[in-house]
Amino acid sequence: MFRLCAVGSGWLALAVSSAIADQAECEATVRAIMAPFGDNAPEQQLNRFGTSVTKFGENEMRGYSLQTAEGSLYYDADKNPASLSFVNGDVYTSMDKGKTWTLANSTPKEVMDTAIAGIFSQAEKATNITCEYGVDLDGKTVNHYAVDYQTYNTGTPTRSEYWVDPETGFVWRDTMHSKGDPEMFITVDAEPAPDMTLPDPKG
């Protein structure tokens, strides 16, 4: 009897240990998605192009976005290029549908470094991280991740969710619910866009 109990306890300990390891891997994956810089940078970063819907209080703004390793290009609801941001902190705007660009803001490197450090801290302090594998998303099999956190610069409680290709790491959909006053919801549905590139704002 004692031997059977000992064996059972051994299996239980193994199961608990495995569950802890699985949760640790889950949390590491989500934290890397939240702060994809440095050691967390994906080995293969595919360009993303898709719809972006932002609901802020009673207002709703629809547009499109192209996200690359170099930065992001945002389009209005008519797919006219409107805002161009680079990872070095330079932000450009266009008033003529992307024909010309004007530098709107240039963030110093030390400020960018502080912001990245804040994003890392935000990810490390995140809670309620869950991972669900083999989920269906519009006919695609994906992994679903969810996480709660406080934005590093305002402390606003926020929840994000990601629907990720298990083989490539491509994020097909991501949502953010910022629980400020008013609340804000952002949903991005994207497709791989390997042939799309950011424009050269200097011509």
Side-chain angles (χ1 to χ4, degrees), residues 99-173:
K99 294 178 182 177
T100 60
W101 294 92
T102 301
L103 181 64
N105 186 56
S106 184
T107 305
K109 182 180 183 302
E110 57 269 22
V111 176
M112 291 296 295
D113 289 344
T114 299
I116 291 175
I119 293 173
F120 268 112
S121 175
Q122 176 178 285
E124 286 303 313
K125 295 176 181 178
T127 60
N128 300 327
I129 297 176
T130 61
C131 301
E132 191 175 0
Y133 305 101
V135 175
D136 178 75
L137 175 68
D138 301 329
K140 296 182 288 288
T141 300
V142 301
N143 295 338
H144 173 256
Y145 306 115
V147 57
D148 292 327
Y149 57 96
Q150 293 183 336
T151 54
Y152 74 92
N153 51 352
T154 65
T156 304
T158 304
R159 181 171 180 81
S160 287
E161 297 183 56
Y162 311 90
W163 287 258
V164 181
D165 188 297
E167 307 226 343
T168 66
F170 184 81
V171 182
W172 293 99
R173 173 181 294 168

Side-chain angles (χ1 to χ4, degrees), residues 51-56 61 65 67 74 149 158-161 163 173-178 183-189:
T51 59
S52 176
V53 179
T54 301
K55 296 180 180 179
F56 192 80
M61 183 173 64
S65 68
Q67 299 171 329
Y74 294 91
Y149 57 96
T158 304
R159 181 171 180 81
S160 287
E161 297 183 56
W163 287 258
R173 173 181 294 168
D174 61 272
T175 65
M176 185 188 75
H177 175 195
S178 177
E183 297 188 41
M184 181 171 63
F185 299 83
I186 300 176
T187 301
V188 176
D189 285 290

